[in-house]
């Protein structure tokens, strides 16, 4: 070949390589916008590489000794086929990764792929980075945060959790759980914000802000996942994943608002629910996933399936007869990321090649996934380090917040004067299955190092120095207290002035003796096993009985309500829960939490929620049993007292107005304390039935003893709306009650067109 042709070929090759370098380099140009980088990268990608981004796998591998000299080889080998798939660009994200070393190794494999697209590493960081293998900061669970009525706590918890996640190489929190709960038998209530749509929305929005910041553009942000869409909290019998048969009206009035709120707050991923909704499985519901959520509500992010729920369209819901058809139905309905495992890739590739799934649907899904990776800065910042881990996890600020979430979540349900305990004078017996147990941590948390957790027994011992006798009789199991244990407690109780019995549930994720949590739903709301027998024996001994409940969902016991001298609902208060409980019992913390969920009188009284329709009980109640719950949503006692005065509400408003009102509150007791001021409205007469009370505003305030404050609230016009008979939102003229708390004060306003 003559030299001229050679030069021509060489220059053509050089131009081609510079062009391709220039082209490949451009999506790698961090000065471009994420949208532009997505556009440029999509142009580079093959169909395989695109579908790969939609595939998620687990990062679990057999136990790897990360102290071994050749961790990378060991873990890479343990990944098996997954290592090769990553290198081929056929995996886009992982869950169930355990350590930052694993995350780094996964990213290093991805960096060897043709386009070097980094991986999203996801985790269930529900109330701290609790599934991480090493010690992390574990806060009160969501139900306790809801009881605090302080969204700022939830926002800060999410922000701190995001920083611990990013320090360990994780980028995506499968949180917040913004399900509204209407069946107290459901095992997952501890990870929800309870029964009220407004409270759930405010808390969920706060967590989305905390996780994502303004636009998940900072290296301490993660993307959040609003879950699970929708109505798992009213599934048959409270069984996780069972069908939800619920009216469109109730969906719009009760279950949808938290998702609308999280989308308005910018949540970037949504996880559909396991369950079907009125005959259509959530993962195949194009009417909701695409028409409603994307096209009407303006959702800009992407969907991730819940665990194996696309496969379950065949195996559980039986709406298709093959996994390939399940993948087709789900992707066409709007699903973007498959959790998890093989099969999905090949099926979707075949479906695209067969023209069953349009390429545009794939491009749409992949563009959303890539946007997150660019926005999170993963192309430039895909690795982390031991130093980042050491500098971030369990920082003092995080640990201080963990204690605060516990202190603020405490709900005092009953107190006949035995609390606060006087320091140093009582002979105290501490007992119960949760007295010295990490069940305090709640669901979605691994067992933490003992010296990172303060149990109730340790907390009580912290509060009482020498001179007082603190005895502990250990109870080994939640569901079966032995005769020996029962006898030992009875004997010790006779010598005690006060018995602190720490009872309830155990939802620790990997504990074989779990009594509640995911897929551990219960047919009763009683105390588990024979716990009530232990309490009855203590009562019979003559000692004062202070019951502390550690639990996610409501515990309904008429005996407990009638016979305990005090009941402190502590929920699952996290790593410093024992300290917060002890501080509350001795009065260093004045409890101010309020119930985020109604406590029914019994399981037979379900459904029990405060915002029921007027006719729910107009014909009385049950045979030989009161219809009233033991405690309504919003209930909670304090060690001090508050007086509300001068509720001022305009006499009239128009149906287009918002309403501004004021009320004076005074701390009329002997202790400083917080008060949760709650504002409800009741539409006295409406063309469709409306709830007897609907929470529309709340604020937790602190008042020193004798201090008085005037609070002003503005109730948005939208809060006065109802969905008319054509499901159109409207504010009808007529009389509205403005209610403080549970009718502490009531005023009326007339709305006129
Ligand atoms: C579970 C849960 C979901 C969680 C997912 C991944 O099935 O329903 O909330 O995020 O699996 O662990």
């Amino acid at each position: 070949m003559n030299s001229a042709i050679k030069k021509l070929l060489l220059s053509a090759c050089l131009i081609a390589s510079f062009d391709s370098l220039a082209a490949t380099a451009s999506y790698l140009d961090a000065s471009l916008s994420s949208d532009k980088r997505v556009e440029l990268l999509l142009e580079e990608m093959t169909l395989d590489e695109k579908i790969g981004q939609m595939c998620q796998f687990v990062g679990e591998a057999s136990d790897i000794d990360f102290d071994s000299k050749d961790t990378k080889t060991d873990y890479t080998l343990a990944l098996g086929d997954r290592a090769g798939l990553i290198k081929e660009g056929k995996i886009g994200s992982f869950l169930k990764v355990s350590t930052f070393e694993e995350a780094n190794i996964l990213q290093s494999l991805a960096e060897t792929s043709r386009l070097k697209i980094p991986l999203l590493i996801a985790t269930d960081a529900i109330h701290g980075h609790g599934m991480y293998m090493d010690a992390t900061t574990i806060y009160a669970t969501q139900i306790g945060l809801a009881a605090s009525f302080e969204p700022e706590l939830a926002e800060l918890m999410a922000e701190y959790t995001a920083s611990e996640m990013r320090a360990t190489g994780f980028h995506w929190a499968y949180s917040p759980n913004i399900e509204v709960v209407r069946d107290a038998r459901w095992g997952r209530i501890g990870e929800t914000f309870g029964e009220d749509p407004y409270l759930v929305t405010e808390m969920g929005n706060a967590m989305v802000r905390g996780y994502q910041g303004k636009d998940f553009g900072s290296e301490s942000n993660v993307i959040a996942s609003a879950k699970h869409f929708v109505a798992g909290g009213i599934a048959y019998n409270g069984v996780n994943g069972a069908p939800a048969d619920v009216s469109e009206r109730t969906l719009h009035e009760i279950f949808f608002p938290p998702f609308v709120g999280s989308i308005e707050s910018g949540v970037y991923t949504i996880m559909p629910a396991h369950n079907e909704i009125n005959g259509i499985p959530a993962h195949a519901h194009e009417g909701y996933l695409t028409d409603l959520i994307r096209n009407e509500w303006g959702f800009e992010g992407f969907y991730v399936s819940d665990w194996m729920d696309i496969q379950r369209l065949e195996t559980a819901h039986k709406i298709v007869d093959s996994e390939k058809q399940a993948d087709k139905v789900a992707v066409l309905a709007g699903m973007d990321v498959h959790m998890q495992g093989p099969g999905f890739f090949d099926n979707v590739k075949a479906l695209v090649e067969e023209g069953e799934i349009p390429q545009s649907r794939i491009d749409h899904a992949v563009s959303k996934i890539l946007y997150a990776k660019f926005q999170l800065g993963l192309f430039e910042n895909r690795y982390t380090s031991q130093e980042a881990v050491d500098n971030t996890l369990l920082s003092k600020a995080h640990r201080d917040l963990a204690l605060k979430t516990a202190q603020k979540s405490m709900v005092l349900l009953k107190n006949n004067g035995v609390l606060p305990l006087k320091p140093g004078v009582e002979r105290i017996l501490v007992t119960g299955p949760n007295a010295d147990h990490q069940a305090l941590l709640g669901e979605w948390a691994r067992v933490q190092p003992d010296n990172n957790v303060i149990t109730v027994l340790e907390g009580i011992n912290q509060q009482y120095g020498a001179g007082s006798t603190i005895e502990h009789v250990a109870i080994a199991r939640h569901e079966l207290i032995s005769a020996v244990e029962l006898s030992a407690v009875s004997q010790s109780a006779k010598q005690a002035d006060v018995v602190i019995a720490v009872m309830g549930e155990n939802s620790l994720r990997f504990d074989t003796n779990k009594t509640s949590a995911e897929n551990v739903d219960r047919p009763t709301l009683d105390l588990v096993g024979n716990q009530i027998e232990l309490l009855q024996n203590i009562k019979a001994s003559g000692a004062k009985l202070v019951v502390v409940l550690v639990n996610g969902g409501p515990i309904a016991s008429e005996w407990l309500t009638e016979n305990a001298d005090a009941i402190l609902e502590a929920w699952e208060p996290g790593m410093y829960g024992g300290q917060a409980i002890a501080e509350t019992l001795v009065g260093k913390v004045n409890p101010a939490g309020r119930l985020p969920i109604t406590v029914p009188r019994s399981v037979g009284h379900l459904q029990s929620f405060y915002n029921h329709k007027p006719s729910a009980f107009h014909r009385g109640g049950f045979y030989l049993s009161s219809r009233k719950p033991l405690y309504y949503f919003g209930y909670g006692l304090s060690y001090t007292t508050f007086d509300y005065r001068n509720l001022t509400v305009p006499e009239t408003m128009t149906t287009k107005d918002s309403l501004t009102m004021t009320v004076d509150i005074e701390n009329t007791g002997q202790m400083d304390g917080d008060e949760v001021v709650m504002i409800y409205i009741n539409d006295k007469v409406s063309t469709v039935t409306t709830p007897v009370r609907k929470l529309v505003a709340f604020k937790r305030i602190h008042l020193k003893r004798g201090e008085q404050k005037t609070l002003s609230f503005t109730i948005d016009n939208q809060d006065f709306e109802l969905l008319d008979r054509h499901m159109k939102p409207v504010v009808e003229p007529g009389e509205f009650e403005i209610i403080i708390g549970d009718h502490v004060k009531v005023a009326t306003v007339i709305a006129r067109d």
Side-chain angles (χ1 to χ4, degrees), residues 463-477:
Q463 295 303 324
Y464 283 85
S468 54
T469 54
I470 311 285
E471 188 188 355
H472 174 226
V473 175
I475 302 293
R477 298 172 68 116

Side-chain angles (χ1 to χ4, degrees), residues 55-73:
C55 298
Q56 183 173 102
F57 278 72
V58 295
E60 277 167 341
S62 54
D63 285 345
I64 306 293
D65 171 10
F66 282 107
D67 298 330
S68 77
K69 63 183 183 315
D70 196 355
T71 300
K72 187 172 173 91
T73 308

Side-chain angles (χ1 to χ4, degrees), residues 326-495:
D327 292 333
K328 174 187 170 185
V329 165
V331 172
L332 290 178
M335 288 310 303
D336 302 302
V337 172
H338 168 251
M339 180 200 302
Q340 57 81 37
F344 181 79
F345 180 93
D346 293 338
N347 288 340
V348 171
K349 181 173 181 182
L351 288 161
V352 172
E353 288 167 345
E354 293 155 12
E356 297 289 319
I357 295 179
Q359 176 78 49
S360 58
R361 176 74 268 278
I362 302 300
D363 288 352
H364 177 261
V366 177
S367 68
K368 299 295 183 183
I369 299 161
L370 295 176
Y371 179 85
K373 296 184 175 184
F374 284 120
Q375 198 62 12
L376 287 163
L378 300 192
F379 281 82
E380 291 74 41
N381 178 23
R382 65 181 76 202
Y383 298 110
T384 187
S385 64
Q386 183 69 56
E387 183 191 7
V389 171
D390 296 345
N391 290 342
T392 311
L393 271 58
L394 286 159
S395 70
K396 183 178 184 314
H398 297 184
R399 287 183 289 108
D400 289 348
L401 182 67
L403 175 61
K404 195 172 183 183
T405 61
Q407 293 167 332
K408 293 230 173 186
S409 61
M410 296 291 139
V411 181
L412 184 60
L413 294 179
K414 182 179 181 184
N415 180 24
N416 67 3
V418 66
L419 297 179
L421 297 174
K422 312 299 172 285
V425 292
E426 276 92 5
R427 293 170 300 167
I428 297 175
L429 166 63
V430 180
T431 189
N434 281 326
D436 199 26
H437 196 287
Q438 288 205 14
L440 292 168
L441 300 179
E443 164 71 292
W444 299 111
R446 293 179 184 277
V447 170
Q448 299 295 306
D450 278 338
N451 57 13
N452 281 12
V453 177
I454 297 177
T455 67
V456 180
L457 177 63
E458 290 161 344
I460 296 286
N461 281 319
Q462 273 178 348
Q463 295 303 324
Y464 283 85
S468 54
T469 54
I470 311 285
E471 188 188 355
H472 174 226
V473 175
I475 302 293
R477 298 172 68 116
H478 291 76
E479 80 291 357
L480 180 61
I481 301 173
S482 69
V484 169
E485 290 167 328
L486 288 169
S487 167
V489 169
S490 294
Q491 290 313 312
S492 297
K494 290 184 181 112
Q495 315 307 321

Side-chain angles (χ1 to χ4, degrees), residues 178-180 193-205 258:
I178 52 173
E179 303 231 40
V180 177
F193 291 118
E195 77 184 33
D196 179 73
Y198 179 72
L199 178 61
V200 173
T201 301
E202 292 299 300
M203 301 304 277
N205 292 356

